[in-house]
Amino acid sequence: MAFTSKMAFQVNCSAERRPSLLENIDRFKTRFCSSYKPLLKELQQLPAQLEVSKNIKNASAKLLDAFVDSTFKFSDQRVLPSQSNFLPVDELNEPLVITSIEGKIPDDFPEGVFIRNGPNPLFGGLKSTTSMFGKTGHIWIEGEGMLHALYFDTDNDGGGRSVVYKNKHVETETFKVEKRRNKPSFLPAIDGSPPAILLSYMFNMLRFEKVNKDLSNTNVFEHSGKFYSISENHLPQEIDILSLQTLGDWDINGAWHRPFTAHPKTAPGTGELVVFGVDAIKPYLEVGVVSADGKRLVHKADLKLDRCTLLHDIGVTERYNVIFDLPLTIDILRLIKGGPLLKYEKEKYARIGVMPRYGDAESTRWFEVEPNCTFHILNCFEEGDEVVVWGCRSLDSIISESYGMDLDKSEWISGRLRSKEPVQQYTTFSSNDELLFSRFYEWRLNMKTGEVKERNLTGTKFSLEFPMINPSFNGLKNKFGYTQIVHEPASISSGMPKFGGLAKLFFDETASKEGEHSEGHIKVEYHEFEGNTFCTGSAFVPKEGGLEEDDGWIITFVHDEDVNTSKVYIIDTKNFTGEPVAKFTMPCRVPYGFHGAFMPIPIHS
């Protein structure tokens, strides 16, 4: 996710997990041996007792499964016709060669992989449950991750280009559990009635030692030549970029034991990776720095926040890490008292922290800002005494909007709780939609005086989300940015975010329209798609040997809902409003998803 992907948050309850019977026996054995060595022979008989304990544990697990199966009834969430491309697809048995190409792939378009992540729920789609404790349901950002990849290769003779498509689920440990069981097993534990959510937490923890599934459905990133799939409720999954096989958790050689951001940032100059992890129990937020070779966690700090803020992104400059502490919060105590697990508390404070790269809670400087909801940061950089932050800002959260609805008069439709009345009523722009409208925004944080200057950079023509830049300028001052633009009528009528085009932002130029110029807005160019065509996973591809920051292309998956056909567009960022230089018709449907990236690697070799 502003429209973020992976806010399906897992409460890390490892600190609260009660030791199993087997673990207690092991601890007892160690302590007993150290104090009473003469009895060691008798303790050697424990394996037989452990076998009995395993049998008891297996029997208990079966009884617990039987209770859950009889108490919680799973059902498929309804899907509207306008939401059909959010439905999951099957894995391909073999790669597919792209043969339908309109236009031409530019000669200087690099070899590499365009890869996009997104939810692709098992067993046909998102689920809801009904029980004596109430109702719970998956929210729209849940669903097991699936990678969709296009491989751009150069023919042996150098005279042509070939493009191959693959897709594959990210096979986390919880994915494997449900595949083995061949049925939905984890109870939805994010949205619904508080008693049902709490009991779902408990039963998931008792059965699987996790309160929610490891989704890994939000983003893909590279560090030190390795590639990872990620959502912030769990550790990154290392991926073989060529086969899309999942290679396992990346815990930085055992040094990281908590959730991991979906948007880690490479520090300019050093190549280190700046990460963070949010948890619903203290410590709420820890920031880490991973060595450039990916082998060591060289720094970790608890920022000692007094609340769990649902932080999705982090910024870096040449010297600093930039952290948002905003009033979209996760609160287990609030849930126990009958309130929502997730809530946007607009009356509470908002602030931005500027932390030295290897700083801590004491050295982080906080700047109070106007309350807002910002999921995605475009870029941060230092300019004189100021740290400048650019991001997509709205005045409310799209994540926590369902609390207070009558569950008996509502139903989950594609992960969104809606009234059972005809959904056609959601056809006009409401005051709530205005609060969710996302504009590009600037914060200037003066490290010398403590002053904060903040302003809108764009107007109200389009809501803007999923920002991207030329990655070479991450943490450095940039002139250009790119983003997807929200198609308001399609998003309102379907109740799901749809993006009907792209925008190019000119940070060094002001808008030409007099009304916008008077407000100091920046220049924006728009590339709008035809008909009912919508995009996801857009990424900037730098031109090989490019001399200017905007030498390159935007590549994106699109879907034409009028003919139910998926395509890929390549758009020249120097001729942004012109026709795409190439359009690929995909041999199968590619559902909407979240973030994409282009990995410039040699495919042919």
Side-chain angles (χ1 to χ4, degrees), residues 256-363:
W256 193 263
H257 305 287
R258 58 189 294 115
F260 192 105
T261 175
H263 294 285
K265 295 293 172 63
T266 301
T270 67
E272 294 170 321
L273 192 70
V274 180
V275 308
F276 69 88
V278 172
D279 208 339
I281 57 175
K282 288 186 176 181
Y284 294 128
L285 175 66
E286 289 187 342
V287 175
V289 181
V290 183
S291 61
D293 61 10
K295 296 179 179 179
R296 295 175 296 114
L297 184 67
V298 298
H299 182 72
K300 184 171 72 171
D302 171 12
L303 292 200
K304 300 181 181 179
L305 300 190
D306 60 5
R307 64 184 180 183
C308 178
T309 184
L310 195 51
L311 180 61
H312 181 63
D313 203 347
I314 191 170
V316 294
T317 70
E318 291 180 279
R319 293 182 294 167
Y320 301 112
N321 311 319
V322 179
I323 300 106
F324 279 74
D325 179 11
L326 303 178
L328 176 60
T329 60
I330 301 166
D331 192 333
I332 297 176
L333 183 59
R334 183 173 61 212
L335 178 69
I336 293 172
K337 292 178 178 179
L341 176 65
L342 302 175
K343 184 180 180 181
Y344 181 67
E345 303 176 289
K346 58 185 176 183
E347 72 281 0
K348 297 294 181 68
Y349 66 89
R351 58 183 186 166
I352 300 175
V354 180
M355 170 189 177
R357 180 77 73 238
Y358 309 112
D360 54 20
E362 286 69 34
S363 60

Side-chain angles (χ1 to χ4, degrees), residues 549-562:
E549 180 187 333
D550 61 343
D551 279 339
W553 304 268
I554 298 293
I555 186 169
T556 186
F557 283 104
V558 303
H559 187 75
D560 185 340
E561 295 188 356
D562 289 335

Side-chain angles (χ1 to χ4, degrees), residues 518-560:
S518 63
E519 297 183 43
H521 293 158
I522 63 172
K523 175 183 174 181
V524 183
E525 290 183 349
Y526 298 103
H527 184 108
E528 297 182 64
F529 302 137
E530 63 281 0
N532 288 313
T533 299
F534 308 104
C535 72
T536 57
S538 308
F540 181 84
V541 183
K543 181 180 293 186
E544 289 186 329
L547 300 178
E548 299 182 324
E549 180 187 333
D550 61 343
D551 279 339
W553 304 268
I554 298 293
I555 186 169
T556 186
F557 283 104
V558 303
H559 187 75
D560 185 340

